[in-house]
Amino acid sequence: MTQTFLDTRLPLFSDLRYKVKDMSPETARFGRKEMELALYEMPGLASLREEFGASQPLKGARIMGSLHMTIQTAVLIETLVALGAEVRWVSCNIFSTQDHAATGVVVGPNGTVQNPSGSPVFAWKGETLAEYWWCTLQALEWPGSPTGGPNMILDDGGDATLLVHLGYEHEQKGTLPNVDAAESEEEKIILQMIIDVRRAKGDKYWTKMAPAIRGVTEETTTGVHRLYLRQQEGTLLFPAINVNDSVTKSKFDNLYGCRHSLVDAIMRATDVLIAGKKALVCGFGDVGKGSVDSLRGQSARTAITEIDPICALQACMRGIDVITIEDALAQDFDIYVTATGNKGIITADHMTKMRHNAIVCNIGHFDNEIDMAGLEAMALRGEVEKIEVKPQVHEWKFKNTKHGPNGKGHSIIVLAEGRLVNLGCATGHPSLVMSASFTNQTLAQIELFKNAENYGKTVTVLPKHLDEKVAHLHLDKFGAKLTRLSESQASYIGVPVNGPFKTDAYRY
């Protein structure tokens, strides 16, 4: 009997070439057309195709990608393929897949629905967590690979990297994880997968796969944190490039992208007027700064919470109040946005005290900034009712509070079940913003694939000259004209005429 994984009804190891929601001609056409339009708005990726298409620097690369399966990601995937790579892909979030993008990639530029010729994708919007981890395993499985897996990983949040490391560590120790010791439902699923893989494949599956992986390029703050922690502990199995902290990623994606996409998501989800509302943004890093700009751009009365005195002082210098969540609850704020990258920011207890129909959402990476597990536990006890308004928009109606209509229970509106609101309730960042992020990713993949031996088992930020190159590739789109230094001027400030123009310590 074929072994299936948990309640997915899917074989743990399948021979499926892809699994997406909809392979209809209409969906394929929609995906391909949007990819065509997006490429025009992604000059960095278009330039890399032109520069490296002939030399094929990724020939021989087997890249497993775990990153939101959007139209912009589809353009990234086909850029990697154009540079010589083989690619298999999953989304890194159960709600972020744009199904027409997934279908478009599978069909490919020269294929048809009946005879798809693109890259394998395992992703659809609205996966369960068990399906999500099943998809991750399918993308790591590599037919025809001598090691059974990829030789490069492109990660967002570190889930693919995590699975390889955990599997490898348990095989090396000769142990199986204790599912009962898991701290969350998702961790139970991950640990169960490691157990099931061992039973199906023996004790050398990850041991064979991991050493062949030349490196990982990591997209986001949480995944980078995980990598640095492994480097400090001496448990990192292969080199990593920290794409997130390239200036042209962190500023474009985290700051300018969130400035565009946060209110887009809130308005698509709720249709409420944001102007005049009181909004709290938890965290004032780059994501928080972009989120504040987004809300203030709609004339919301915006405040922030912070733990970092420097970020807090920056907020003060912009005329933004720095308060606590408790202050916001006492002042009946209307909108709460988490943007910290940490956990347990808005608790279930906080949500019992919010004003009626307050909107709660997250634009940080994971789903535990908002205590969704606490809400679910309250629902099991009958203290709150979860009511779907539409997909990824839920009313949580409290039974025992007294500050709702007519002195009865109040409600709150939770978006995207606490996961990334801009991808769960909208379409994420615009193409031009993601062009900068994904140009960084492509350059990082080329660098690691060609020169992994030069890095050791370390985490490295993409060099400054490549960061500046990414910016250069996007200036023509804005009609920008750079001033050129004379030899004398360059000598005076101690930089090369052609850059890099700033030291690594410079803060943009």
Side-chain angles (χ1 to χ4, degrees), residues 11-123:
L12 179 66
F13 289 93
S14 74
D15 58 359
L16 294 174
R17 189 179 172 276
Y18 59 85
K19 186 165 177 59
V20 297
K21 182 171 284 185
D22 180 4
M23 281 291 285
S24 68
E26 295 78 15
T27 299
R29 183 208 60 79
F30 182 27
R32 295 306 312 174
K33 176 51 68 175
E34 285 224 318
M35 291 163 67
E36 175 190 327
L37 296 174
L39 180 59
Y40 181 73
E41 282 285 295
M42 303 183 84
L45 293 184
S47 296
L48 293 185
R49 293 184 187 192
E50 183 176 346
E51 179 179 354
F52 293 114
S55 62
Q56 298 282 283
L58 291 174
K59 187 174 180 58
R62 300 187 302 275
I63 301 172
M64 182 277 185
S66 174
L67 192 151
H68 309 285
M69 187 57 256
T70 65
I71 287 295
Q72 292 72 34
T73 302
V75 178
L76 167 63
I77 292 169
E78 295 197 347
T79 300
L80 297 170
V81 171
L83 272 51
E86 297 175 53
V87 178
R88 292 171 71 86
W89 212 267
V90 295
S91 186
C92 62
N93 182 302
I94 63 175
F95 295 131
S96 65
T97 296
Q98 294 166 12
D99 290 313
H100 63 306
T103 301
V105 170
V106 169
V107 170
N110 302 310
T112 64
V113 169
Q114 293 75 25
N115 187 25
S117 63
S119 297
V121 174
F122 300 86

Side-chain angles (χ1 to χ4, degrees), residues 164-183:
V164 172
H165 277 75
L166 283 181
Y168 179 87
E169 288 163 359
H170 277 289
E171 286 182 355
Q172 292 299 297
K173 295 174 185 175
T175 59
L176 286 173
N178 179 9
V179 175
D180 293 335
E183 295 183 0

Side-chain angles (χ1 to χ4, degrees), residues 226-500:
R226 286 176 169 180
L227 289 170
Y228 279 120
L229 188 60
R230 283 198 172 275
Q231 177 181 275
Q232 292 164 13
E233 294 172 344
T235 61
L236 188 61
L237 296 176
F238 34 75
I241 287 184
N242 167 5
V243 170
N244 181 71
D245 289 319
S246 298
V247 178
T248 45
K249 192 281 179 185
S250 60
K251 296 300 179 188
F252 274 73
D253 190 327
N254 300 1
L255 178 58
Y256 307 133
C258 293
R259 185 174 70 186
H260 172 100
S261 63
L262 174 60
V263 293
D264 180 31
I266 293 173
M267 290 190 288
R268 289 196 201 206
T270 66
D271 295 318
V272 300
L273 180 70
I274 293 176
K277 295 286 198 306
K278 289 189 284 188
L280 182 73
V281 175
C282 300
F284 198 62
D286 281 329
V287 172
K289 289 179 175 70
S291 298
V292 166
D293 285 349
S294 188
L295 291 160
R296 291 180 100 187
Q298 288 294 315
S299 299
R301 294 177 288 167
T302 308
I304 65 123
T305 69
E306 249 305 334
I307 59 166
D308 185 327
I310 296 175
C311 290
L313 185 59
Q314 286 180 310
C316 293
M317 295 298 288
R318 296 189 187 189
I320 300 165
D321 289 336
V322 181
I323 64 175
T324 66
I325 291 179
E326 289 70 24
D327 293 332
L329 294 171
Q331 297 170 36
D332 279 342
F333 270 57
D334 304 283
I335 300 169
Y336 294 80
V337 181
T338 55
T340 70
N342 208 326
K343 66 176 184 177
I345 306 304
I346 293 179
T347 67
D349 183 61
H350 288 144
M351 289 182 272
T352 66
K353 299 171 183 175
M354 290 178 179
R355 73 175 304 166
H356 181 60
N357 280 4
I359 296 167
V360 183
C361 62
N362 168 50
I363 199 166
H365 188 71
F366 285 138
D367 63 334
N368 54 0
E369 296 206 29
I370 299 167
D371 183 16
M372 299 306 298
L375 279 183
E376 295 286 358
M378 291 181 69
L380 287 174
R381 296 194 298 268
E383 297 169 13
V384 63
E385 180 184 3
K386 180 182 180 182
I387 304 166
E388 182 175 86
V389 179
K390 60 184 179 180
Q392 283 78 63
V393 180
H394 290 87
E395 175 188 5
W396 289 79
K397 191 170 185 177
F398 291 85
K399 304 288 186 65
N400 301 324
T401 57
K402 306 294 184 185
H403 57 281
N406 302 315
K408 295 181 180 178
H410 77 295
S411 294
I412 61 170
I413 309 300
V414 179
L415 307 184
E417 302 204 27
R419 294 176 179 269
L420 280 173
V421 68
N422 57 333
L423 282 156
C425 295
T427 57
H429 300 333
S431 297
L432 193 54
V433 164
M434 295 313 300
S435 180
S437 291
F438 290 166
T439 303
N440 275 291
Q441 277 285 6
T442 305
L443 289 172
Q445 284 283 319
I446 293 170
E447 176 64 20
L448 264 190
F449 182 64
K450 291 170 61 178
N451 302 310
E453 291 77 12
N454 298 339
Y455 286 87
K457 295 175 181 178
T458 61
V459 185
T460 308
V461 178
L462 206 64
K464 180 71 70 177
H465 73 279
L466 292 179
D467 211 350
E468 290 187 357
K469 176 176 180 172
V470 172
H472 265 288
L473 293 176
H474 293 84
L475 290 178
D476 283 349
K477 192 72 175 177
F478 296 98
K481 297 180 180 179
L482 288 176
T483 300
R484 184 169 175 81
L485 290 174
S486 68
E487 292 284 356
S488 173
Q489 288 172 321
S491 175
Y492 184 72
I493 61 174
V495 301
V497 169
N498 295 317

Side-chain angles (χ1 to χ4, degrees), residues 178-237:
N178 179 9
V179 175
D180 293 335
E183 295 183 0
S184 68
E185 285 302 311
E186 185 164 17
E187 188 180 359
K188 287 182 181 179
I189 292 168
I190 299 166
L191 299 183
Q192 189 62 54
M193 172 163 279
I194 291 170
I195 292 169
D196 289 357
V197 168
R198 176 79 64 86
R199 289 171 178 164
K201 295 289 188 178
D203 58 4
K204 299 297 181 186
Y205 180 80
W206 304 106
T207 301
K208 185 179 179 183
M209 182 187 295
I213 297 173
R214 294 181 61 75
V216 57
T217 59
E218 172 55 52
E219 175 80 0
T220 200
T221 308
T222 307
V224 165
H225 173 73
R226 286 176 169 180
L227 289 170
Y228 279 120
L229 188 60
R230 283 198 172 275
Q231 177 181 275
Q232 292 164 13
E233 294 172 344
T235 61
L236 188 61
L237 296 176

